[in-house]
Amino acid sequence: MKQNPFLVIAIALFTIASPFTDLLADSPNIIFIYADDIGYGDLTCYGAKSVSTPNLDRLAKEGLRHTDGHSASATCTPSRYALLTGEYAWRRKGTGVATGDASMIIEPGRTTLASILQKSDYRTGYVGKWHLGLGRPGMSWNGPIKPGPKDLGFDEHFVIPATGDRVPCVYIENEKVAGLDQNDPIKVSFDKPLDNSPTGKSRPDLLFRTKPSHGHDMSIVNGISRIGYMSGGKSALWDDESMADVITAKAKSFIEKNQKRQFFLYFSSHDIHVPRVSHPRFSGKTEMGPRGDAIVQLDWCVGQILDQLDQLNLTDQSMVIFSSDNGPVVDDGYQDDAVAKIGSHRPAGPFRGGKYSNFEGGTRVPLLVRWPARIKPGTTSEALICQIDFPATFARLTGQKLEENIGPDSFDVLDALLGRSQHGRDHLVEDASLRSLRVGHFKFIPASKGRPFNPATGTELGNSNDDQLYDLSKDPGETKNLAKFYPEKVAEMKSRLLGIRESDHSRPEYKSATQK
Ligand code: NG6
Ligand code: CA
């Protein structure tokens, strides 16, 4: 039988292109909701019983719940650095938890997740906690605040510069302090007091909202003492209780404005980071005190976004991703009853450790993905995925090839992210005080001299004088060290980890600029 050559070519082209075309036909809006310090076990859909998170549970019910999703680090700044650049933060100096007056830690103009999406004509917006530094050394907070998110691919921004517990306590909107009175200039210092104003240390009696348990005893803003000193800027100071409302309204207005075109919204909540001072309408919603209230507040914010997508008829064509920047911590420096009221709640779920820890609880976080047009509702996946994979993954989603000198540690895990494959990465360097290695369900933590436990935060840090090897498929809680029984496995993982650390990349196709 003679075949029609046009038909053969058409079928061949379709077959070659099909893994992309079905996605490319309608690249979705992308709404990434990034929680702060939320643990694997903090949501009802991941097993929490002492708090109810109906809106996050809705994401799980209508989408895919990942059980091996990771932040790139066990603290905020390095996780966020890696998520935007696709490079492990430990490869670069100056990527640890940033002070409130840090200069921007990513070089302006560098290709990021956001600039990749901009290239595909997405309108990109950043709302909420930034914590990657702003400006250059010596920058004044009273003039233009740049470089900043605009120089990293975000068309617009409204940000909390660092954290709620660090000064300056003001929002930055498109390179300016929002609501600043130029006659009351802002000064910020992380070395020494700027004047004789009372501090948390000198006048604890002035702390009417929450008191520190450790650290956090410098400038007092809104009855809360913080890390660092600031003066001036009275008209621009944020109000902690309405922070979630303010940033949620900004996120919604970004969606509303861009409803007729493709957009990427990076909505970075401050919940449930300290100080946990939620709006009073959430107080007492759980038995767990302010930490529980903050989880309920976070869930409310998520609900606001989901409702708006429904109202604007955007639900089907939007991908909503929810995750956290590191694992959970109970006492992170304020006396907010979190320890006393934790009860039977296990913030890290079945995992050991939490924020700051080398154990799994440091980086294993909730990862929910909903995209009704493409993802089967109510599904789960055990694929190993890290937020560092977002640049390569979203490049692929938008039909782009990640350039060879971009994203040295970013893997395309699109099929796993959407539940089309159960295979994500084959390995991951987990980053806390040490670098540990996951290969499949094995986890290797190298021997160290670090202390095993931090009594201030109550965190098991996962340090030991001995090498540690765990089989997470049988022992997710990392209780049985198998290192002695499998010396070859330990040697193999140690040498693989060393190889990744000594190289400047782990993505095989990557070539650094100098290699080209
Ligand atoms: C720590 C702070 C902690 C928190 C953390 C950063 C003290 C004693 N502890 O240094 O409260 O701010 O830094 O958290 O100051 S993160 O989620 O932004 O990484
Ligand atoms: Ca955090």
Side-chain angles (χ1 to χ4, degrees), residues 35-37 75-76 80 129 273 325-326 355:
D36 200 346
D37 297 359
T75 50
C76 166
R80 287 160 198 256
K129 179 181 172 184
H273 198 281
D325 68 343
N326 50 250
K355 182 175 181 178

Side-chain angles (χ1 to χ4, degrees), residues 242-255:
S242 61
M243 183 178 273
D245 287 343
V246 169
I247 61 174
T248 303
K250 289 284 174 189
K252 286 173 75 175
S253 111
F254 177 83
I255 296 176

Side-chain angles (χ1 to χ4, degrees), residues 306-325:
L306 300 187
D307 289 351
Q308 192 198 21
L309 293 175
D310 288 344
Q311 280 151 20
L312 298 177
N313 229 343
L314 293 177
T315 300
D316 269 7
Q317 76 235 43
S318 300
M319 183 195 287
V320 180
I321 307 178
F322 173 86
S323 200
S324 178
D325 68 343

Side-chain angles (χ1 to χ4, degrees), residues 86-150:
E87 178 180 53
Y88 285 128
W90 47 261
R91 296 197 188 282
R92 297 276 186 131
K93 285 208 173 79
T95 54
V97 173
T99 58
D101 63 349
S103 310
M104 191 159 79
I105 65 168
I106 305 177
E107 312 85 272
R110 185 159 169 195
T111 299
T112 66
L113 169 63
S115 67
I116 288 170
L117 292 172
Q118 254 178 350
K119 245 186 169 172
S120 282
D121 213 23
Y122 275 74
R123 178 82 185 169
T124 58
Y126 195 112
V127 176
K129 179 181 172 184
W130 176 245
H131 212 187
L132 289 168
L134 288 164
R136 296 193 198 280
M139 178 197 73
S140 155
W141 291 90
N142 307 294
I145 294 173
K146 56 187 190 185
K150 274 199 180 170

Side-chain angles (χ1 to χ4, degrees), residues 37 76 129 131 165-166 214 216 227 273 332 355-356:
D37 297 359
C76 166
K129 179 181 172 184
H131 212 187
D165 58 344
R166 284 173 176 75
H214 55 276
H216 303 102
I227 310 172
H273 198 281
D332 208 15
K355 182 175 181 178
Y356 312 113

